[in-house]
Amino acid sequence: MKIGRRGFLSFVIGGAAGTALSPLPWKMMDDSSIWTQMWPWTPVPEDGEASYVNSVCTLCSGHCGITVRKIDNRAVKIEGMKGHPVNNGGMCLLGLSGLQLLYGPMRVKTPLKRTGKRGQGQWKKISWNDAVSEVVEKLRDIRSEGNPQTVGFISGSDRGTVSRLFDRFLTAYGSPNFMRMPSVRDSYELTQYLMQGVQALPGFDFENADFIVSFGSGIIDGWGSPVRMSRVHSAWQSADVKVIQIEPRLSNTAAKSDKWIPINPGTEAALAMGLAHVIVKESLYDAAFVKNYVEGFFDWKNRVIDKYNPDTVASITGIDRGTIVVLARGFANASKPLAVCGRGNGTTPVSLDECMAVNALNALVGNINKKGGVWAVSEPNYINWPEIEMDAKAAAGLQHERLDGAGSKTYPFTRYLLPRLPETIDSGEKFPLQALFVSGANPLYTHPDTRAVRNAFDKIPLVVSFSSYMDETAQNADLILPNHVYLERYEDVPTPAGMIQPVIGLSRPVVAPQFDTRHVGDVVIQMAKGLGGSVAKTFPWDSYDSCLKETLGDLWNFLMEEGFWSNTGAMPPFFGTSYETASGKFELINKDTGSIPQFKPVSIEGDEKDYPLLLIPYDSIRLACGFIGDPPFVMKTVEDSVLKGKDVFVELNPKTARNQGLREGQRVVLTTPKGKAEVKVHLFEGIMPGLVALPRGLGHTAWDEYLAGKGINFNALIGPVEDPDSGLDAAWGIRAKLEKA
Amino acid sequence: MHTLDDHAKDISEDAADEAGPDLSLEMNLKEQDTGAGGTIILFFILGLFASLVVGWIIFPKLLYSNKKQPIDFNHVFHVEEVDNGCESCHFFRADGTFSGAPKLAQCIDCHEEIQGISPDEIKFVEEYVSKEREVPWLIYSRQPDCVFFSHAAHIKGAQMDCVTCHGHMGESESLKVYEENRITGYSRDIWGKSIGGFKKNTWDRMKMDDCAECHRENAANIEITDIPTPTQRLIDHIVNLVPPGTSTFGKGGSVQTERDPCFACHK
Ligand code: SF4
């Protein structure tokens, strides 16, 4: 039989009819629609048992309590812990995005040893044993040559067992060079020491204050413990608390305050003195407090009356006389006034003058160690370790002065002066640093004058980073010994920045370590054991966890159950007897050092002729600028007027722009005595004329592709300016110029 | 252009000529008519038949691949051993979510050591229990990711039993072959064994139509009753093309569809 055209057609028609009568097309339709929902790149969350782990966020010094939701063994969401004294269920953007720091691509997954040149990014994996023994070898050599003082440690914090282990290690080894990252706490500590004679944490009873004068502190821009501050800020709004924000730029904090007073940058101390002038002159101060508990009032009063009348202050600060007088009266007449300093998010110190002047204002209204005032908060005393065993080598090493000059004759009472380190290394005036350990810090990004810091680091033969992430410092290290991230490790977390009640939190593993990382506490203990002798004896613990358990004693069980311990009924130290100064009083003038609240301009770098503008930084809660960089979720929230693509915008007053012949969106070259960079112009009425503002937290060169190469690092354009009274870096800006690109 | 068919016709005409006069021509023409019609019908039937065979028999064979479970499991035996029936292993967690296939944690009490001599048992203990690896069970009833199904609402709320949807799984002595749909990756049990979608028992299929069927039948007792089957929805849309807000359907919780909210079941 032959198949003709008709036969063929009828075969096809029959086939079509049969197909329609078969399940094939209908089933295929159904399956293909399901298939389209099944793209392999569509993330599908695993199903499993939900559980919650209470821990503490240590991504900043806010130390919020967190509750992490898990599905089986995977952490899926970080929430604020309800009932926690710091954040009571609240969270910040960065904390919420913490999972990206756990599972993200920026993690260092195993110990790494540099193979190429420093910073080239060429690494080879090595085992933990090899890594630790390599470090131990080097340390043993340095020590046997009698130079233990040439080993340094930079730590993000100096509180809690982990930091104390670093310090203990260095002491037993024989080096005085344990250094903490700078912040406004340095200024406050020194101020409290000089005026009140105590070494304590500055605490602010914001919850009970009713008139806030903030000298540039970014109350909702990351200052102090950020979530606590935003909670306080909301409470202020409903309780009708007055907030006066004094700063040259309309920050978020300024925009949400009752009054924003623009001030010439760097003249905050002058304003504080001007306010003191009005208060003293009009006898608005707390006479009883001043009479009973303040020493040196009359000497100081005469100087204040003499030098800081509102007209003089008006010409220095650019704030008119009337505003100064009204502000002073408002402050002094409020029932619980509180003045606070520390620009932006408080990660840079202020000059001693400024901090003392602001503290003096608080003293004038008698709110030192009082409800609604500034407290000297003592650290909960739970770390009681056996005496450090020191052999002759250690004792000899410790005789040396610190490299950064803290505690030296020039700066006897300042505890850490990390920003001075690069210069000291460069000048070679003291001994060279032979090995440097860095943990919880990223100095190659956060330090002013990043280029100089890098050059100084290049002179150190061994740089070891404990970073969990490939940050700038890790990238330029010789060895990376990656720590577990905060969601994978135990750690005690002491009182958050600025809190008045002591809190101890317990950060604990939410998930098992994802990679071949090791707790830095364990590594330090292993290093000590490797060195043997008295150093090993100083570390009687098998592991960090056992050290922590033993240290916390009964607290351990409590913390395991509750997640945190807090003294909710904390009372301020009785304000009449809490001064440990020579006079037993609050000293407006410290007789030993001659320190006195006053205004001396901090002379910033650059001359006006070459650099007609002033560059200042600004902080935002959307840009992490500490040792942690923005994870992708947070990066997504940065506005288009701050960062567009890879370009960062500098803020410029339209008047300044007109003078300079610049317009919105124009590409310009920003030059300072420290460096230059291409940026774009954003016109903003909220910045005083003559200023240029650049956000901090951008311009990373390391981390991941979501963060690196976007914008400019402010620290690459500024250098430190040493405060002659404290040695702290008091730079508030730098001179700059803008040219069309 | 000549087609095969044309040739066939030519040749038969030639043959008719040879045979001689009119009558035969007529006859031949008649014959040819029925012959061609027959062929057409024959081919139609052939095509029909072939495609029916493809659609009903070959297609399902091609569509599904046979996969074996990582280890075999005897439900009958285990049900006898436990006190609480299915819920002993397939239980509700404290937060009300359903645990699904058991994890090692549920097995480990008895299976820390090898029990008996079955090779599957040995494999289970050696490969999974001692290595602390979860068994990658192939789940017959796994629904696409967009489906949100609450066991609690059905088991605790509506007091249904497992068999209604899952059949007599608990009475099986070994695990059946897992037929995986090559296109979607889901088990054949969702569409049902019958490729035509026919079912005898409630547990024969687990498609949305089956949800809808039960919800309609039991409308009086069930909160969400107007679940449209996909087919129905298509027809509804064509027949009932009316401005929003004037629909004759019962008003559900959703403003857009005026039905009960889709997100009750669809993620
Ligand atoms: S404020 Fe700091 S501690 Fe709190 S959640 Fe944010 S990053 Fe974490």
Side-chain angles (χ1 to χ4, degrees), chain A residues 34 198 201 299 321 431 440 526 573 603:
Chain A
I34 297 175
V198 290
L201 301 165
D299 287 351
R321 181 200 154 86
F431 49 85
Q526 280 155 16
S603 53

Side-chain angles (χ1 to χ4, degrees), chain A residues 357-439:
Chain A
V358 172
N359 206 35
L361 272 185
N362 287 318
L364 281 181
V365 292
N367 72 349
I368 304 290
N369 292 334
K370 234 166 115 180
K371 193 169 172 193
V374 187
W375 298 18
V377 179
S378 50
E379 190 83 74
N381 183 22
Y382 61 94
I383 305 181
N384 300 303
W385 289 337
E387 279 284 299
I388 296 176
E389 297 220 15
M390 255 186 288
D391 58 7
K393 281 207 175 95
L398 289 171
Q399 291 303 313
H400 287 80
E401 229 175 50
R402 288 168 62 93
L403 265 182
D404 63 2
S408 67
K409 253 192 247 110
T410 336
Y411 304 120
F413 303 116
T414 314
R415 296 174 65 205
Y416 309 103
L417 283 172
L418 187 50
R420 296 186 77 243
L421 186 69
E423 211 190 307
T424 324
I425 294 175
D426 267 348
S427 68
E429 64 192 36
K430 290 185 188 160
F431 49 85
L433 203 53
Q434 294 198 45
L436 179 67
F437 295 85
V438 185
S439 173

Side-chain angles (χ1 to χ4, degrees), chain A residues 56-66 78-80 86-87 90-97 222 224-228 486 493 496 621 624 628:
Chain A
V56 179
C57 177
T58 50
L59 296 179
C60 81
S61 54
H63 299 171
C64 297
I66 53 173
I78 303 181
E79 294 166 1
V86 175
N87 56 325
M91 277 302 267
C92 85
L93 263 172
L94 178 63
L96 278 172
S97 314
S225 179
V227 179
R228 174 210 178 200
Y486 72 116
V493 186
I621 202 86
I628 293 288

Side-chain angles (χ1 to χ4, degrees), chain A residues 18-221:
Chain A
T19 307
L21 290 175
S22 85
L24 189 143
W26 321 108
K27 178 79 174 121
M28 284 297 283
M29 213 148 60
D30 189 72
D31 282 356
S32 44
S33 67
I34 297 175
W35 174 70
T36 58
Q37 299 166 15
M38 297 281 299
W39 307 123
W41 56 85
T42 311
V44 179
E46 288 281 321
D47 199 12
E49 181 165 11
S51 59
Y52 294 85
V53 181
N54 285 339
S55 185
V56 179
C57 177
T58 50
L59 296 179
C60 81
S61 54
H63 299 171
C64 297
I66 53 173
T67 301
V68 185
R69 181 177 151 87
K70 286 173 69 182
I71 295 293
D72 285 348
N73 291 322
R74 193 170 170 87
V76 296
K77 184 163 184 243
I78 303 181
E79 294 166 1
M81 192 196 296
K82 299 241 162 55
H84 194 280
V86 175
N87 56 325
N88 188 22
M91 277 302 267
C92 85
L93 263 172
L94 178 63
L96 278 172
S97 314
L99 293 181
Q100 293 192 317
L101 296 166
L102 170 66
Y103 296 122
M106 69 294 268
R107 295 228 17 208
V108 180
K109 301 189 172 82
T110 92
L112 294 176
K113 185 179 157 74
R114 174 171 67 84
T115 54
K117 282 211 203 88
R118 275 231 181 117
Q120 247 184 356
Q122 290 173 358
W123 304 95
K124 78 167 191 235
K125 292 180 187 173
I126 57 170
S127 71
W128 273 104
N129 279 349
D130 290 353
V132 173
S133 38
E134 192 162 312
V135 174
V136 168
E137 271 320 289
K138 179 83 184 174
L139 288 177
R140 190 177 290 135
D141 289 350
I142 296 174
R143 202 164 194 263
S144 61
E145 286 159 14
N147 294 320
Q149 73 282 2
T150 62
V151 173
F153 210 123
I154 297 178
S155 166
S157 157
D158 64 345
R159 302 158 61 216
T161 49
V162 172
S163 311
R164 295 284 298 277
L165 281 178
F166 299 155
D167 196 9
R168 187 175 175 85
F169 177 83
L170 278 195
T171 310
Y173 181 80
S175 168
N177 288 308
F178 173 81
M179 288 161 277
R180 174 182 85 191
M181 291 300 283
S183 74
V184 73
R185 199 180 128 205
D186 294 317
S187 314
Y188 265 107
E189 270 179 1
L190 188 58
T191 299
Q192 285 184 334
Y193 183 73
L194 293 174
M195 300 179 104
Q196 291 155 241
V198 290
Q199 262 318 337
L201 301 165
F204 304 87
D205 191 7
F206 288 118
E207 284 82 351
N208 291 306
D210 69 356
F211 193 103
I212 314 293
V213 176
S214 151
F215 290 86
S217 303
I219 288 167
I220 51 166
D221 292 302

